[in-house]
Structures are given as C-alpha cells and as structure tokens.
C-alpha cells in the first residue's frame, strides 16, 4: 500500500513538473509574441509583412495556447483523478494504522491479563499451600493435644479410681468401726 502511494506521489510530481515546463514554454512563447509586436511597431515598412507573420504566429499561438489549455485541463483532471485514489489509499492506510494500534492494545492487554492471571494462580496456590500446611499443623497439634488429653484423662481416671478405692476402703473401715462402736454401745446399754 505504501509502495502504491509512493508510486502515485512520484507520478503526481512528474505530472506537475511536465505541466510547469509546458506552462513556462507557453509563457516564453507569449513573451516572444509580445517582443515581436514591439519590433513591428518600430519598423513601419516591415509592419505589414511582420503583421501577417504575427497574425500567423498569433493564430498558431492561439491554437497552441488552446491546445495547451486543453492539455493543461486534461493534466489537471488526470492529476485530480490520481489524487482521489491516493487520498483513498491514505485513508485506508490511516484506518489500518489505527486498527493495528487497537490490535496491539488488545494483544498487550491480553498479555497483561495472562500475566495477572498467572500471578493470581501462583498466589492462590501459595495461599492454599500455606493454608493446608497450617491446617496440617493444627491437626497434628490437635492430635498431639488429644493424645495428651487422653493420657491426662487416663491419669486423672486412674488417680480418681485409686482415690475412690482408698475412700471406699476408708469409708468401709469407718463404717465397720462405727458399727463396732454401735455394737459396743448397744452391748454397753
């Protein structure tokens, strides 16, 4: 597309140069024509011959000027016809550049989102891993606490059972002693 635009620009510059050369040629011919008219005014005797010659030159020049004007008009039309596609191509190029920028923005955004997602996943995995480690640690601590509690409860149970036995024996001994005293008191009575 850029190559076509450059080719059209070169063609346009070439046509402008040719047109400028032709216009310069027409102006030179016009100056020559004016110079000839001045010379004719200076020499009265040669005036008629020169006048006829000038009229021929004027006719030729008018025809040439008319042809040059037509050619100039054709060149302008051709130039205008070539400028329109060039402008359309430039507009298309601008649209493509804008689309490329938008696409690049989408690509950059997707890359940033993928990176953010990857970072979030890594962070989530780390968080889950840390949480699992904490939970395992708590479970291990709870298991150890539970074992310790069971051992403590067993010790307490054993201690209470032993105390109960001792208390039961002391009670039975006391009861037996009380019964003996009662029996003794009854015998004494």
């Amino acid at each position: 597309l850029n190559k076509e635009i450059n080719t059209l620009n070169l063609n346009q510059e070439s046509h402008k140069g040719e047109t400028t050369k032709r216009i310069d040629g027409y102006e030179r011919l016009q100056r020559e024509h004016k110079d000839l008219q001045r010379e004719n005014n200076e020499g009265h005797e040669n005036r008629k011959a020169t006048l006829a010659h000038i009229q021929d030159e004027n006719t030729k020049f008018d025809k040439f000027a008319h042809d040059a004007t037509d050619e100039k008009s054709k060149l302008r039309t051709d130039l205008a016809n070539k400028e329109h596609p060039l402008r359309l191509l430039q507009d298309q190029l601008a649209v493509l550049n804008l689309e490329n920028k938008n696409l690049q923005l989408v690509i950059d955004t997707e890359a940033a989102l993928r990176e953010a997602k990857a970072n979030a996943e890594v962070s989530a995995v780390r968080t889950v891993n840390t949480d699992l480690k904490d939970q395992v640690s708590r479970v291990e601590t709870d298991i150890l606490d539970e074992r310790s509690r069971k051992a403590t409860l067993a010790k307490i149970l054993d201690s209470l059972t032993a105390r109960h036995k001792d208390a039961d024996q002391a009670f039975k001994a006391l009861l037996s002693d009380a019964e003996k005293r009662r029996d003794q008191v009854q015998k004494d009575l």
Side-chain angles (χ1 to χ4, degrees):
L1 186 61
N2 284 333
K3 188 175 181 182
E4 289 178 16
I5 291 172
N6 289 337
T7 303
L8 287 173
N9 284 336
L10 288 174
N11 287 341
Q12 183 181 9
E13 291 299 321
S14 174
H15 284 292
K16 283 181 183 178
E18 290 175 14
T19 305
T20 304
K21 286 180 184 177
R22 286 184 182 168
I23 291 172
D24 289 341
Y26 299 151
E27 289 175 350
R28 183 183 47 79
L29 286 174
Q30 191 174 16
R31 281 193 303 273
E32 288 175 2
H33 176 69
K34 287 181 181 179
D35 290 340
L36 285 175
Q37 281 182 342
R38 274 190 230 117
E39 288 176 8
N40 282 334
N41 287 337
E42 292 174 4
H44 193 60
E45 289 106 29
N46 296 329
R47 188 176 193 128
K48 285 185 182 181
T50 307
L51 189 55
H53 177 68
I54 288 173
Q55 285 178 347
D56 287 342
E57 288 294 320
N58 278 344
T59 304
K60 288 178 186 177
F61 179 77
D62 286 343
K63 185 178 183 309
F64 182 73
H66 180 68
D67 290 345
T69 303
D70 288 345
E71 183 69 23
K72 184 178 174 183
S73 176
K74 287 178 187 176
L75 287 173
R76 283 186 178 163
T77 303
D78 187 41
L79 186 60
N81 289 339
K82 289 183 180 179
E83 283 179 351
H84 180 68
L86 179 63
R87 286 187 184 124
L88 290 176
L89 289 173
Q90 287 173 338
D91 290 344
Q92 288 175 352
L93 182 61
V95 168
L96 285 174
N97 285 337
L98 183 61
E99 287 175 358
N100 284 343
K101 286 180 182 176
N102 288 340
L103 185 59
Q104 187 61 44
L105 179 64
V106 168
I107 289 170
D108 292 343
T109 303
E110 280 186 30
L113 287 175
R114 270 188 250 122
E115 184 178 335
K117 179 183 174 188
N119 290 340
E121 287 174 353
V122 167
S123 177
V125 167
R126 285 182 183 154
T127 302
V128 167
N129 189 20
T130 303
D131 188 45
L132 286 175
K133 285 180 182 177
D134 289 345
Q135 287 179 9
V136 166
S137 176
R138 274 190 240 127
V139 167
E140 287 175 348
T141 303
D142 289 347
I143 288 171
L144 291 175
D145 288 347
E146 185 67 26
R147 284 181 187 163
S148 174
R149 221 175 315 143
K150 282 182 181 179
T152 304
L153 288 176
K155 285 179 185 177
I156 291 172
L157 182 62
D158 290 343
S159 173
L160 288 175
T161 304
R163 286 183 185 172
H164 182 269
K165 274 183 181 180
D166 290 343
D168 192 37
Q169 286 174 358
F171 179 72
K172 283 180 182 179
L174 185 63
L175 185 63
S176 170
D177 188 43
E179 285 177 355
K180 285 180 188 177
R181 284 189 194 165
R182 179 190 62 166
D183 288 342
Q184 185 70 26
V185 169
Q186 281 180 355
K187 276 184 189 180
D188 288 340
L189 286 175

